[in-house]
Amino acid sequence: MTKPPLTLYLAAPRGFCAGVDRAIKIVEMALQKWGAPVYVRHEIVHNKYVVDDLRAKGAVFVEELEDCPDDRPVIFSAHGVPKAVPAEAARREMVYVDATCPLVSKVHIEAERHAENGLQIIMIGHAGHPETIGTMGQLPDGDVLLVETVDDVAGITVRDPEQLAFVTQTTLSVDDTTDIVAALNARFPAIKGPHKEDICYATTNRQEAVKAMAAQADAMLVVGAPNSSNSRRLVEVGAKAGCTYSQLVQRAADIDWRALEGITSIGITAGASAPEVLVDEVIDAFRARYDVTTEQVETAQESVEFKVPRVLREPA
């Protein structure tokens, strides 16, 4: 039976960013240096495939520092942690490695500098996300207020409208954040923003590639995990850019083939914590059912690399 033709648009860039690459490398190098088990506080990055792979190599994933023994190394995830976590690890004389993405650390430093200058911080982010918890946890309770939407801006109570600054989670929708920043500037004209956009280069680049692809594709699949903020934003960006069927899939097994009946083109991308092997798996699943032609939609090239911490580059 002849397979129906299908054009697969592949977003570039997609998948792993430099911060995710570095975080995974940190766990692997820690296992090489200290042997198993190495403890990791929270999922190192939000992807089940990656976490399961590292678990098989000897990483033990826990939610809190209290779940770790004193005598084994512990790694803090790429999303960052509140200041109290490394302080407690130091008090317990634990060996710890911070895998916080350097672009998240930049936001932490920014928030602290503003606070030192007497400013109250407003954070644009998602409540309960580990990155938001980590950034807000750099300062004492009450020093950072959280807003998630434009509507939230109208409802916040600040200490002094003349003494404010804002920071953002690095994995937000660029367009949604622009609207929230505009609302903050309208209500608090004196508010100070970051010198350079907090939303990271990888988030921005992946969203731009999705926008370029959405105009051409009948449907869009984003390979990523349900708890991955940047992956979920890609789904939303695809839908807003005119791709009415924009869905998140963790693996090829999650594809809803019935929903895709009759399509002639589909866009495929992957969140910053999704490995390319999962994209290949999805492409192979389409090749099994369709006569596939692939086209790359490239909107940027990435060459960013982050060094791993010195402790892992030194001999044991």
Side-chain angles (χ1 to χ4, degrees), residues 42-110:
H42 192 70
E43 290 187 351
I44 189 71
V45 298
H46 284 156
N47 188 274
K48 186 180 185 302
Y49 181 92
V50 171
V51 169
D52 287 347
D53 183 57
L54 292 171
R55 190 181 278 122
K57 292 174 182 174
V60 178
F61 291 89
V62 296
E63 280 309 305
E64 297 299 342
L65 199 63
E66 64 200 36
D67 302 324
C68 304
D70 292 348
D71 61 348
R72 293 306 301 163
V74 60
I75 295 164
F76 305 143
S77 84
H79 311 97
V81 292
K83 221 170 204 171
V85 176
E88 174 61 11
R91 188 194 68 76
R92 287 171 59 184
E93 298 182 354
M94 300 170 82
V95 172
Y96 67 89
V97 186
D98 191 352
T100 301
C101 172
L103 298 177
V104 174
S105 298
K106 178 183 84 73
V107 180
H108 291 183
I109 292 162
E110 225 170 77

Side-chain angles (χ1 to χ4, degrees), residues 133-174:
I133 293 166
T135 300
M136 293 180 75
Q138 299 307 302
L139 296 168
D141 282 355
D143 280 12
V144 187
L145 303 173
L146 180 66
V147 296
E148 296 189 79
T149 63
V150 167
D151 290 345
D152 290 346
V153 173
I156 52 171
T157 305
V158 300
R159 288 195 298 247
D160 179 351
E162 300 298 312
Q163 298 291 312
L164 291 174
F166 74 86
V167 296
T168 81
Q169 191 178 321
T170 62
T171 54
L172 301 176
S173 156
V174 176

